[in-house]
Coordinates of all heavy atoms in Angstrom, one line a residue:
M1 N 229.7 -25.2 132.8 CA 230.3 -24.1 133.4 C 229.9 -22.8 132.6 O 229.8 -22.9 131.3 CB 231.8 -24.2 133.4 CG 232.4 -23.0 134.1 SD 234.2 -23.0 134.2 CE 234.8 -24.6 134.5
V2 N 229.6 -21.7 133.2 CA 229.2 -20.5 132.5 C 230.3 -19.5 132.8 O 231.0 -19.5 133.8 CB 227.9 -20.0 133.0 CG1 226.8 -20.9 132.7 CG2 227.9 -19.6 134.5
H3 N 230.4 -18.5 131.8 CA 231.4 -17.5 132.0 C 230.7 -16.1 132.2 O 231.3 -15.2 132.6 CB 232.3 -17.4 130.7 CG 233.1 -18.6 130.5 ND1 234.2 -18.8 131.3 CD2 233.0 -19.6 129.7 CE1 234.8 -20.0 130.9 NE2 234.1 -20.5 129.9
K4 N 229.4 -16.1 132.0 CA 228.6 -14.9 132.2 C 227.2 -15.3 132.7 O 226.7 -16.4 132.3 CB 228.4 -14.2 130.8 CG 228.9 -12.9 130.7 CD 228.6 -12.3 129.4 CE 229.2 -10.9 129.3 NZ 229.0 -10.3 128.0
I5 N 226.7 -14.5 133.6 CA 225.3 -14.8 134.1 C 224.4 -14.0 133.2 O 224.5 -12.8 133.0 CB 225.2 -14.3 135.6 CG1 226.2 -15.1 136.4 CG2 223.8 -14.5 136.1 CD1 226.4 -14.5 137.8
N6 N 223.4 -14.8 132.6 CA 222.5 -14.1 131.7 C 221.1 -14.8 131.8 O 220.8 -15.7 131.0 CB 223.0 -14.2 130.3 CG 222.2 -13.3 129.3 OD1 221.3 -12.6 129.8 ND2 222.6 -13.3 128.1
F7 N 220.3 -14.5 132.8 CA 219.0 -15.1 133.0 C 218.0 -14.1 132.5 O 218.1 -12.9 132.5 CB 218.7 -15.3 134.5 CG 219.5 -16.3 135.2 CD1 220.6 -16.0 136.0 CD2 219.2 -17.7 135.0 CE1 221.4 -17.0 136.6 CE2 220.0 -18.7 135.6 CZ 221.1 -18.3 136.4
R8 N 216.9 -14.7 131.9 CA 215.8 -13.9 131.5 C 214.7 -13.8 132.6 O 214.1 -12.8 132.7 CB 215.1 -14.5 130.3 CG 216.0 -14.5 129.0 CD 215.3 -15.0 127.8 NE 216.2 -14.9 126.7 CZ 216.0 -15.6 125.6 NH1 214.9 -16.3 125.4 NH2 216.8 -15.5 124.6
V9 N 214.6 -14.8 133.4 CA 213.7 -14.8 134.6 C 214.6 -15.2 135.8 O 215.6 -15.8 135.7 CB 212.5 -15.7 134.4 CG1 211.6 -15.2 133.3 CG2 212.9 -17.1 134.2
L10 N 214.1 -14.9 137.0 CA 214.8 -15.3 138.2 C 214.9 -16.8 138.3 O 213.9 -17.5 138.1 CB 214.0 -14.8 139.4 CG 214.2 -13.3 139.7 CD1 213.2 -12.8 140.8 CD2 215.6 -12.9 140.1
P11 N 216.1 -17.3 138.7 CA 216.2 -18.8 138.8 C 215.5 -19.2 140.1 O 215.4 -18.4 141.1 CB 217.7 -19.0 138.9 CG 218.3 -17.7 139.4 CD 217.3 -16.6 138.9
L12 N 215.0 -20.4 140.2 CA 214.4 -21.0 141.4 C 215.4 -21.2 142.5 O 216.6 -21.5 142.2 CB 213.7 -22.3 141.0 CG 212.5 -22.2 140.1 CD1 212.0 -23.6 139.7 CD2 211.4 -21.4 140.7
P13 N 215.0 -21.0 143.7 CA 216.0 -21.4 144.8 C 216.4 -22.9 144.7 O 215.6 -23.7 144.3 CB 215.1 -21.2 146.1 CG 214.1 -20.2 145.7 CD 213.8 -20.5 144.2
G14 N 217.7 -23.1 144.8 CA 218.3 -24.4 144.7 C 218.9 -24.6 143.3 O 219.6 -25.6 143.1
T15 N 218.8 -23.6 142.4 CA 219.5 -23.7 141.1 C 221.0 -23.6 141.3 O 221.5 -22.8 142.0 CB 219.0 -22.5 140.2 OG1 217.6 -22.6 140.0 CG2 219.8 -22.6 138.9
V16 N 221.7 -24.6 140.7 CA 223.2 -24.6 140.9 C 223.8 -24.0 139.7 O 223.4 -24.3 138.5 CB 223.6 -26.1 141.1 CG1 225.1 -26.2 141.2 CG2 223.0 -26.7 142.4
L17 N 224.8 -23.2 139.9 CA 225.6 -22.6 138.8 C 227.0 -22.8 139.1 O 227.6 -22.6 140.2 CB 225.3 -21.1 138.9 CG 226.0 -20.2 137.9 CD1 225.5 -20.4 136.5 CD2 225.9 -18.7 138.3
M18 N 227.7 -23.3 138.0 CA 229.2 -23.5 138.1 C 229.8 -22.3 137.4 O 229.6 -22.2 136.2 CB 229.6 -24.8 137.5 CG 229.2 -26.0 138.3 SD 229.9 -26.1 140.0 CE 231.6 -26.4 139.7
H19 N 230.5 -21.5 138.1 CA 231.1 -20.3 137.5 C 232.6 -20.3 137.7 O 233.1 -20.2 138.9 CB 230.5 -19.0 138.1 CG 231.0 -17.7 137.6 ND1 230.7 -17.3 136.3 CD2 231.8 -16.7 138.1 CE1 231.3 -16.2 136.0 NE2 231.9 -15.8 137.1
E20 N 233.4 -20.5 136.7 CA 234.8 -20.6 136.7 C 235.3 -21.7 137.7 O 236.2 -21.4 138.5 CB 235.4 -19.3 137.0 CG 235.2 -18.3 135.8 CD 235.9 -17.0 136.1 OE1 236.7 -16.9 137.0 OE2 235.5 -16.0 135.3
G21 N 234.6 -22.8 137.8 CA 235.0 -23.9 138.7 C 234.5 -23.8 140.1 O 234.8 -24.6 140.9
Q22 N 233.7 -22.7 140.4 CA 233.2 -22.6 141.8 C 231.7 -22.8 141.7 O 231.0 -22.3 140.8 CB 233.6 -21.2 142.3 CG 233.3 -21.0 143.8 CD 234.0 -19.8 144.3 OE1 235.0 -19.3 143.7 NE2 233.7 -19.4 145.5
R23 N 231.2 -23.5 142.7 CA 229.8 -23.8 142.8 C 229.0 -22.8 143.5 O 229.3 -22.4 144.6 CB 229.6 -25.2 143.5 CG 228.2 -25.7 143.5 CD 228.2 -27.1 144.1 NE 227.0 -27.8 144.0 CZ 226.1 -27.8 145.0 NH1 226.3 -27.3 146.1 NH2 224.9 -28.4 144.7
Y24 N 227.9 -22.3 142.9 CA 227.0 -21.3 143.5 C 225.6 -21.9 143.5 O 225.2 -22.5 142.5 CB 227.0 -20.0 142.7 CG 228.3 -19.3 142.7 CD1 229.3 -19.6 141.8 CD2 228.6 -18.3 143.7 CE1 230.5 -18.9 141.8 CE2 229.8 -17.6 143.7 CZ 230.7 -17.9 142.8 OH 231.9 -17.3 142.8
V25 N 224.9 -21.7 144.6 CA 223.5 -22.2 144.7 C 222.6 -21.0 145.0 O 222.9 -20.2 145.9 CB 223.3 -23.2 145.9 CG1 221.9 -23.7 146.0 CG2 224.3 -24.4 145.7
A26 N 221.6 -20.8 144.1 CA 220.6 -19.7 144.3 C 219.8 -20.0 145.6 O 219.2 -21.1 145.7 CB 219.7 -19.6 143.1
I27 N 219.8 -19.0 146.5 CA 219.0 -19.2 147.7 C 217.8 -18.3 147.8 O 217.0 -18.3 148.8 CB 219.9 -19.1 149.0 CG1 220.6 -17.8 149.1 CG2 220.9 -20.2 149.0 CD1 221.3 -17.5 150.4
G28 N 217.7 -17.3 146.9 CA 216.6 -16.4 146.9 C 216.8 -15.2 146.0 O 217.7 -15.2 145.2
S29 N 215.9 -14.3 146.1 CA 216.0 -13.1 145.3 C 215.4 -11.9 146.1 O 214.7 -12.1 147.1 CB 215.3 -13.3 144.0 OG 213.9 -13.5 144.2
D30 N 215.6 -10.7 145.6 CA 215.1 -9.5 146.2 C 215.0 -8.4 145.1 O 215.4 -8.7 144.0 CB 216.0 -9.1 147.3 CG 215.4 -8.2 148.3 OD1 214.2 -7.9 148.2 OD2 216.0 -7.8 149.3
L31 N 214.4 -7.3 145.5 CA 214.4 -6.2 144.6 C 215.4 -5.1 145.1 O 215.5 -4.9 146.3 CB 213.0 -5.6 144.5 CG 211.9 -6.5 143.9 CD1 210.5 -5.9 144.1 CD2 212.2 -6.8 142.5
H32 N 216.0 -4.5 144.1 CA 217.0 -3.5 144.4 C 216.7 -2.2 143.6 O 216.3 -2.3 142.5 CB 218.4 -4.0 144.0 CG 219.5 -2.9 144.1 ND1 220.0 -2.5 145.3 CD2 220.1 -2.2 143.1 CE1 220.9 -1.6 145.0 NE2 221.0 -1.4 143.7
T33 N 216.8 -1.0 144.3 CA 216.5 0.2 143.6 C 217.8 0.8 143.2 O 218.7 1.1 144.1 CB 215.7 1.2 144.6 OG1 214.5 0.5 145.0 CG2 215.4 2.5 143.8
R34 N 218.0 1.0 141.9 CA 219.2 1.6 141.4 C 219.3 3.1 141.7 O 218.3 3.7 142.1 CB 219.3 1.3 139.9 CG 219.4 -0.1 139.6 CD 219.7 -0.5 138.2 NE 219.2 0.5 137.2 CZ 219.2 0.3 135.9 NH1 219.5 -0.9 135.4 NH2 218.8 1.2 135.1
R35 N 220.4 3.7 141.4 CA 220.6 5.2 141.6 C 219.6 6.0 140.7 O 219.2 7.0 141.1 CB 222.0 5.6 141.3 CG 223.0 5.1 142.3 CD 224.4 5.7 141.9 NE 225.4 5.0 142.7 CZ 226.6 5.0 142.5 NH1 227.1 5.6 141.4 NH2 227.5 4.4 143.3
D36 N 219.3 5.4 139.6 CA 218.4 6.2 138.7 C 216.9 6.0 139.0 O 216.0 6.5 138.4 CB 218.6 5.8 137.2 CG 218.3 4.3 136.9 OD1 217.9 3.6 137.8 OD2 218.5 3.9 135.8
G37 N 216.7 5.2 140.1 CA 215.3 5.1 140.6 C 214.6 3.8 140.1 O 213.5 3.5 140.6
Q38 N 215.2 3.1 139.2 CA 214.6 1.9 138.6 C 214.8 0.7 139.6 O 215.8 0.5 140.1 CB 215.2 1.6 137.3 CG 214.5 0.4 136.6 CD 215.1 0.1 135.2 OE1 216.1 0.7 134.8 NE2 214.6 -0.8 134.5
T39 N 213.7 0.0 139.8 CA 213.8 -1.2 140.6 C 214.0 -2.4 139.8 O 213.4 -2.7 138.8 CB 212.4 -1.4 141.4 OG1 212.2 -0.2 142.1 CG2 212.5 -2.6 142.3
V40 N 215.1 -3.2 140.2 CA 215.5 -4.4 139.4 C 215.6 -5.6 140.3 O 215.9 -5.4 141.5 CB 216.8 -4.2 138.7 CG1 216.7 -3.1 137.6 CG2 217.9 -3.8 139.6
P41 N 215.4 -6.8 139.8 CA 215.6 -8.0 140.7 C 217.0 -8.4 140.8 O 217.8 -8.2 139.9 CB 214.8 -9.1 139.9 CG 214.8 -8.6 138.5 CD 214.8 -7.1 138.5
I42 N 217.4 -8.9 142.0 CA 218.8 -9.4 142.2 C 218.7 -10.8 142.8 O 217.7 -11.1 143.4 CB 219.6 -8.5 143.1 CG1 218.9 -8.2 144.4 CG2 219.9 -7.2 142.4 CD1 219.8 -7.4 145.4
I43 N 219.7 -11.6 142.5 CA 219.7 -13.0 143.0 C 220.7 -13.1 144.1 O 221.8 -12.6 144.0 CB 220.2 -13.9 141.8 CG1 219.3 -13.6 140.6 CG2 220.1 -15.4 142.2 CD1 219.9 -14.2 139.3
C44 N 220.3 -13.9 145.2 CA 221.3 -14.2 146.3 C 221.8 -15.6 146.0 O 221.1 -16.5 145.8 CB 220.5 -14.1 147.6 SG 221.6 -14.4 149.0
W45 N 223.2 -15.7 146.1 CA 223.9 -16.9 145.8 C 224.6 -17.3 147.1 O 225.1 -16.5 147.8 CB 224.9 -16.8 144.7 CG 224.3 -16.4 143.4 CD1 224.3 -15.1 142.9 CD2 223.8 -17.2 142.4 NE1 223.7 -15.1 141.7 CE2 223.4 -16.4 141.4 CE3 223.5 -18.6 142.4 CZ2 222.8 -16.9 140.2 CZ3 222.9 -19.1 141.2 CH2 222.5 -18.3 140.2
K46 N 224.7 -18.6 147.4 CA 225.6 -19.2 148.4 C 226.7 -19.9 147.8 O 226.5 -20.7 146.9 CB 224.8 -20.1 149.4 CG 225.6 -20.6 150.5 CD 224.8 -21.2 151.6 CE 224.1 -20.3 152.5 NZ 224.9 -19.3 153.3
S47 N 227.9 -19.7 148.3 CA 229.1 -20.4 147.8 C 230.1 -20.5 148.9 O 229.8 -20.1 150.1 CB 229.7 -19.6 146.6 OG 230.7 -20.4 146.0
H48 N 231.3 -21.0 148.6 CA 232.4 -21.2 149.6 C 233.6 -20.4 149.1 O 233.9 -20.3 148.0 CB 232.7 -22.6 149.8 CG 231.7 -23.4 150.5 ND1 230.6 -23.9 149.8 CD2 231.5 -23.8 151.8 CE1 229.8 -24.6 150.7 NE2 230.4 -24.5 151.9
C49 N 234.2 -19.7 150.1 CA 235.4 -18.8 149.8 C 236.5 -19.6 149.2 O 236.8 -20.7 149.6 CB 235.9 -18.2 151.1 SG 237.3 -17.1 150.9
A50 N 237.1 -19.1 148.1 CA 238.2 -19.7 147.4 C 239.5 -19.7 148.3 O 240.4 -20.5 148.0 CB 238.5 -19.0 146.1
E51 N 239.6 -18.9 149.3 CA 240.8 -18.8 150.2 C 240.6 -19.7 151.4 O 241.5 -20.5 151.6 CB 240.9 -17.4 150.7 CG 241.3 -16.3 149.6 CD 242.7 -16.4 149.2 OE1 243.6 -16.6 150.1 OE2 243.0 -16.1 148.0
C52 N 239.5 -19.6 152.1 CA 239.4 -20.3 153.4 C 238.3 -21.4 153.4 O 238.3 -22.2 154.3 CB 239.1 -19.3 154.5 SG 237.5 -18.5 154.4
G53 N 237.5 -21.4 152.4 CA 236.4 -22.4 152.3 C 235.2 -22.2 153.1 O 234.3 -23.0 153.1
R54 N 235.1 -21.0 153.8 CA 234.0 -20.7 154.6 C 232.8 -20.3 153.7 O 233.0 -19.6 152.7 CB 234.4 -19.5 155.5 CG 233.3 -19.1 156.5 CD 233.8 -18.0 157.4 NE 235.2 -18.2 157.8 CZ 236.0 -17.2 158.2 NH1 235.5 -16.0 158.2 NH2 237.2 -17.5 158.5
P55 N 231.6 -20.7 154.0 CA 230.4 -20.3 153.2 C 230.1 -18.8 153.3 O 230.4 -18.2 154.4 CB 229.3 -21.1 153.8 CG 229.7 -21.7 155.0 CD 231.2 -21.6 155.1
F56 N 229.7 -18.2 152.2 CA 229.3 -16.8 152.2 C 228.2 -16.6 151.2 O 227.9 -17.5 150.3 CB 230.5 -15.9 151.9 CG 230.9 -16.0 150.4 CD1 230.5 -15.1 149.5 CD2 231.8 -17.0 150.0 CE1 230.9 -15.2 148.2 CE2 232.2 -17.1 148.7 CZ 231.7 -16.2 147.7
D57 N 227.5 -15.5 151.4 CA 226.4 -15.1 150.4 C 226.9 -14.0 149.5 O 227.6 -13.1 150.0 CB 225.2 -14.6 151.2 CG 224.5 -15.7 152.0 OD1 224.8 -16.9 151.8 OD2 223.7 -15.4 152.9
G58 N 226.5 -14.0 148.3 CA 226.8 -13.0 147.3 C 225.6 -12.7 146.5 O 224.6 -13.4 146.4
W59 N 225.6 -11.5 145.9 CA 224.5 -11.0 145.1 C 224.9 -10.8 143.7 O 226.0 -10.4 143.4 CB 223.9 -9.7 145.7 CG 223.3 -9.9 147.1 CD1 224.0 -9.8 148.3 CD2 222.0 -10.3 147.4 NE1 223.2 -10.1 149.3 CE2 221.9 -10.3 148.8 CE3 220.9 -10.5 146.7 CZ2 220.7 -10.7 149.5 CZ3 219.7 -10.8 147.3 CH2 219.6 -10.9 148.7
S60 N 223.9 -10.9 142.7 CA 224.2 -10.6 141.4 C 222.9 -10.2 140.7 O 221.8 -10.5 141.2 CB 224.8 -11.7 140.6 OG 223.8 -12.7 140.2
G61 N 223.0 -9.5 139.6 CA 221.8 -9.2 138.8 C 221.4 -10.3 137.9 O 222.1 -11.4 138.0
L62 N 220.4 -10.2 137.1 CA 220.1 -11.2 136.2 C 221.1 -11.4 135.1 O 221.3 -12.5 134.6 CB 218.7 -10.9 135.5 CG 217.5 -10.9 136.4 CD1 216.3 -10.5 135.6 CD2 217.3 -12.3 137.0
R63 N 221.8 -10.3 134.8 CA 223.0 -10.4 133.9 C 224.2 -9.8 134.6 O 224.2 -8.7 135.1 CB 222.7 -9.5 132.7 CG 221.5 -10.1 131.9 CD 221.3 -9.3 130.6 NE 220.2 -9.9 129.9 CZ 219.2 -9.3 129.3 NH1 219.3 -8.0 129.3 NH2 218.3 -9.9 128.7
S64 N 225.2 -10.6 134.6 CA 226.5 -10.1 135.3 C 227.7 -10.9 134.7 O 227.5 -12.0 134.2 CB 226.4 -10.5 136.8 OG 227.5 -10.1 137.4
G65 N 228.8 -10.2 134.7 CA 230.0 -10.8 134.1 C 230.7 -11.7 135.2 O 231.5 -12.6 134.8
T66 N 230.5 -11.4 136.4 CA 231.3 -12.2 137.5 C 230.5 -12.2 138.8 O 229.6 -11.5 139.0 CB 232.7 -11.5 137.7 OG1 233.4 -12.3 138.5 CG2 232.5 -10.1 138.3
L67 N 231.0 -13.1 139.7 CA 230.5 -13.2 141.0 C 231.6 -13.1 142.0 O 232.8 -13.4 141.6 CB 229.8 -14.6 141.2 CG 228.4 -14.8 140.5 CD1 228.1 -16.3 140.4 CD2 227.4 -14.0 141.2
N68 N 231.3 -12.8 143.2 CA 232.4 -12.8 144.3 C 232.9 -14.2 144.4 O 232.1 -15.2 144.4 CB 231.8 -12.3 145.6 CG 231.6 -10.9 145.6 OD1 232.2 -10.1 144.9 ND2 230.7 -10.4 146.5
R69 N 234.2 -14.3 144.5 CA 234.8 -15.7 144.7 C 235.2 -15.9 146.1 O 235.6 -17.0 146.5 CB 236.1 -15.8 143.8 CG 235.8 -15.5 142.3 CD 235.1 -16.6 141.5 NE 235.6 -17.9 141.7 CZ 236.5 -18.4 140.9 NH1 237.0 -17.8 139.9 NH2 236.9 -19.7 141.1
R70 N 235.3 -14.8 146.9 CA 235.8 -14.9 148.3 C 234.8 -14.3 149.3 O 234.0 -13.5 148.9 CB 237.1 -14.2 148.4 CG 238.2 -14.7 147.5 CD 239.4 -13.9 147.6 NE 240.5 -14.4 146.8 CZ 240.8 -14.0 145.6 NH1 240.0 -13.1 145.0 NH2 241.8 -14.4 144.9
C71 N 234.9 -14.7 150.5 CA 234.1 -14.2 151.6 C 234.5 -12.7 151.9 O 235.6 -12.3 151.4 CB 234.3 -15.0 152.9 SG 236.0 -15.0 153.6
P72 N 233.7 -12.0 152.6 CA 234.1 -10.6 152.9 C 235.4 -10.4 153.5 O 236.1 -9.4 153.3 CB 232.9 -10.1 153.8 CG 231.8 -11.0 153.5 CD 232.4 -12.3 153.1
E73 N 235.8 -11.3 154.3 CA 237.1 -11.2 155.0 C 238.3 -11.3 154.0 O 239.3 -10.6 154.2 CB 237.3 -12.3 156.1 CG 238.6 -12.3 156.9 CD 238.7 -13.4 157.9 OE1 237.6 -13.9 158.4 OE2 239.8 -13.8 158.2
H74 N 238.2 -12.1 153.0 CA 239.3 -12.3 152.0 C 239.0 -11.7 150.7 O 239.7 -11.9 149.7 CB 239.5 -13.8 151.8 CG 240.0 -14.5 153.0 ND1 239.2 -15.4 153.7 CD2 241.2 -14.5 153.7 CE1 239.9 -15.8 154.8 NE2 241.1 -15.3 154.7
H75 N 237.9 -10.8 150.6 CA 237.6 -10.1 149.4 C 238.8 -9.4 148.8 O 239.4 -8.7 149.4 CB 236.4 -9.2 149.7 CG 235.8 -8.6 148.5 ND1 235.1 -9.3 147.6 CD2 235.9 -7.3 148.0 CE1 234.7 -8.5 146.6 NE2 235.2 -7.3 146.8
A76 N 239.1 -9.7 147.5 CA 240.2 -9.1 146.8 C 239.8 -8.8 145.4 O 240.1 -9.6 144.5 CB 241.4 -10.1 146.9
P77 N 239.2 -7.6 145.2 CA 238.7 -7.3 143.8 C 239.9 -7.2 142.8 O 241.0 -6.7 143.2 CB 238.1 -5.9 143.9 CG 237.8 -5.7 145.4 CD 238.8 -6.6 146.1
G78 N 239.8 -7.8 141.7 CA 240.8 -7.7 140.6 C 241.9 -8.8 140.8 O 242.7 -8.9 139.9
K79 N 241.9 -9.6 141.9 CA 242.9 -10.6 142.1 C 242.3 -11.9 141.7 O 241.3 -12.4 142.2 CB 243.3 -10.6 143.5 CG 244.4 -11.6 143.8 CD 244.8 -11.6 145.3 CE 245.8 -12.7 145.6 NZ 246.1 -12.8 147.0
A80 N 242.9 -12.6 140.7 CA 242.4 -13.8 140.2 C 242.6 -15.0 141.2 O 243.6 -15.0 141.9 CB 243.1 -14.2 138.9
V81 N 241.7 -15.9 141.2 CA 241.7 -17.0 142.1 C 242.5 -18.2 141.5 O 243.3 -18.8 142.2 CB 240.3 -17.5 142.4 CG1 240.3 -18.8 143.2 CG2 239.5 -16.5 143.2
T82 N 242.4 -18.4 140.2 CA 243.1 -19.5 139.6 C 244.2 -19.0 138.6 O 244.2 -17.9 138.2 CB 242.1 -20.3 138.7 OG1 241.5 -19.5 137.7 CG2 240.9 -20.8 139.6
A83 N 245.0 -20.0 138.2 CA 246.1 -19.6 137.2 C 245.4 -19.2 135.9 O 245.9 -18.4 135.2 CB 247.0 -20.8 137.1
A84 N 244.3 -19.9 135.5 CA 243.7 -19.6 134.3 C 243.1 -18.1 134.3 O 243.2 -17.4 133.3 CB 242.5 -20.5 134.0
G85 N 242.6 -17.7 135.5 CA 242.1 -16.4 135.6 C 243.3 -15.3 135.5 O 243.1 -14.3 135.0
R86 N 244.4 -15.7 136.1 CA 245.6 -14.8 136.1 C 246.0 -14.6 134.6 O 246.4 -13.6 134.2 CB 246.7 -15.3 137.0 CG 246.4 -15.1 138.5 CD 247.6 -15.4 139.3 NE 247.9 -16.8 139.4 CZ 247.3 -17.7 140.1 NH1 246.4 -17.3 141.0 NH2 247.7 -18.9 140.1
K87 N 246.0 -15.8 133.9 CA 246.5 -15.7 132.5 C 245.5 -14.9 131.7 O 245.9 -14.1 130.8 CB 246.5 -17.2 132.0 CG 247.0 -17.3 130.6 CD 247.1 -18.7 130.2 CE 247.7 -18.9 128.8 NZ 247.7 -20.3 128.3
R88 N 244.2 -15.0 131.9 CA 243.2 -14.3 131.2 C 243.3 -12.8 131.5 O 243.0 -11.9 130.7 CB 241.8 -14.8 131.5 CG 240.7 -14.3 130.6 CD 239.4 -15.0 130.8 NE 238.9 -15.2 132.2 CZ 238.9 -16.3 132.8 NH1 239.3 -17.4 132.3 NH2 238.5 -16.4 134.1
A89 N 243.7 -12.4 132.7 CA 243.7 -11.0 133.2 C 245.0 -10.3 132.7 O 245.1 -9.1 132.7 CB 243.6 -10.9 134.7
A90 N 246.1 -11.1 132.4 CA 247.4 -10.5 132.1 C 247.3 -9.5 130.9 O 247.9 -8.4 131.0 CB 248.4 -11.6 131.8
P91 N 246.7 -9.8 129.8 CA 246.6 -8.9 128.7 C 245.9 -7.6 129.1 O 246.4 -6.5 128.7 CB 245.8 -9.6 127.6 CG 245.9 -11.0 127.9 CD 246.1 -11.1 129.4
H92 N 244.9 -7.7 129.9 CA 244.2 -6.5 130.4 C 245.1 -5.6 131.2 O 245.2 -4.4 131.1 CB 243.0 -6.9 131.2 CG 242.2 -5.7 131.7 ND1 241.4 -4.9 130.9 CD2 242.2 -5.1 132.9 CE1 240.9 -4.0 131.6 NE2 241.3 -4.0 132.8
R93 N 245.9 -6.2 132.1 CA 246.8 -5.5 133.0 C 247.9 -4.8 132.2 O 248.4 -3.7 132.4 CB 247.4 -6.4 134.1 CG 246.5 -6.6 135.2 CD 247.2 -7.2 136.4 NE 248.0 -8.3 136.1 CZ 247.6 -9.6 136.0 NH1 246.3 -9.9 136.2 NH2 248.4 -10.6 135.7
R94 N 248.4 -5.6 131.1 CA 249.5 -5.0 130.3 C 248.9 -3.7 129.6 O 249.7 -2.7 129.4 CB 249.9 -6.0 129.3 CG 251.0 -6.9 129.8 CD 251.7 -7.7 128.7 NE 250.8 -8.5 127.8 CZ 250.4 -9.7 128.1 NH1 250.9 -10.3 129.2 NH2 249.7 -10.4 127.3
K95 N 247.7 -3.8 129.1 CA 247.1 -2.7 128.4 C 246.7 -1.5 129.3 O 247.0 -0.3 129.0 CB 245.9 -3.1 127.6 CG 245.3 -2.1 126.7 CD 244.2 -2.6 125.9 CE 243.5 -1.5 125.0 NZ 242.4 -2.1 124.2
H96 N 246.1 -1.8 130.5 CA 245.5 -0.8 131.3 C 246.3 -0.5 132.6 O 245.9 0.4 133.4 CB 244.1 -1.1 131.6 CG 243.2 -1.3 130.4 ND1 242.8 -0.2 129.7 CD2 242.7 -2.3 129.8 CE1 242.1 -0.6 128.7 NE2 242.0 -1.9 128.7
G97 N 247.2 -1.4 133.0 CA 247.9 -1.2 134.2 C 247.1 -1.9 135.4 O 246.0 -2.3 135.2
K98 N 247.7 -1.9 136.6 CA 247.1 -2.4 137.7 C 246.0 -1.5 138.2 O 246.0 -0.3 138.1 CB 248.1 -2.6 138.9 CG 248.9 -3.9 138.7 CD 249.7 -4.1 140.0 CE 250.4 -5.4 139.9 NZ 251.1 -5.7 141.1
R99 N 245.0 -2.1 138.9 CA 243.9 -1.3 139.5 C 244.4 -0.5 140.7 O 245.1 -1.1 141.5 CB 242.8 -2.3 139.9 CG 241.7 -1.6 140.6 CD 240.6 -2.6 140.9 NE 239.6 -1.9 141.7 CZ 238.4 -2.4 142.0 NH1 238.1 -3.6 141.6 NH2 237.6 -1.8 142.7
K100 N 244.1 0.7 140.7 CA 244.6 1.6 141.8 C 243.5 1.5 143.0 O 242.3 1.7 142.7 CB 244.7 3.0 141.4 CG 245.9 3.2 140.4 CD 246.0 4.6 139.9 CE 247.1 4.8 139.0 NZ 247.1 4.0 137.8
K101 N 244.0 1.3 144.2 CA 243.1 1.2 145.3 C 242.7 2.6 145.7 O 243.5 3.6 145.7 CB 243.8 0.6 146.5 CG 244.1 -0.9 146.3 CD 244.6 -1.6 147.5 CE 244.8 -3.0 147.2 NZ 245.3 -3.7 148.4
P102 N 241.4 2.8 146.1 CA 240.9 4.1 146.5 C 241.5 4.6 147.8 O 242.0 4.0 148.6 CB 239.4 3.9 146.6 CG 239.1 2.5 146.6 CD 240.4 1.8 146.2

């Protein structure tokens, strides 16, 4: 299990990643142009929603701290999926407060 995504090169399609107990399979990659004009590679992952179990695609960079855990319908930024995640997030919420919705 990994807690952070940190690839030096793009993973091959079919690479399996276990991130916080959720299975992700690399299905491809693409190039993304950032706001500063730099082009960087991104990885497309296939996984299943932690709420409904429906398959969904998500994207990440070669280095990332987290991946989407839910499909676009159930997307809930900042809301932990597991009890362990809620426990890990509690000190941050005590220090910084809840995230304000835009």
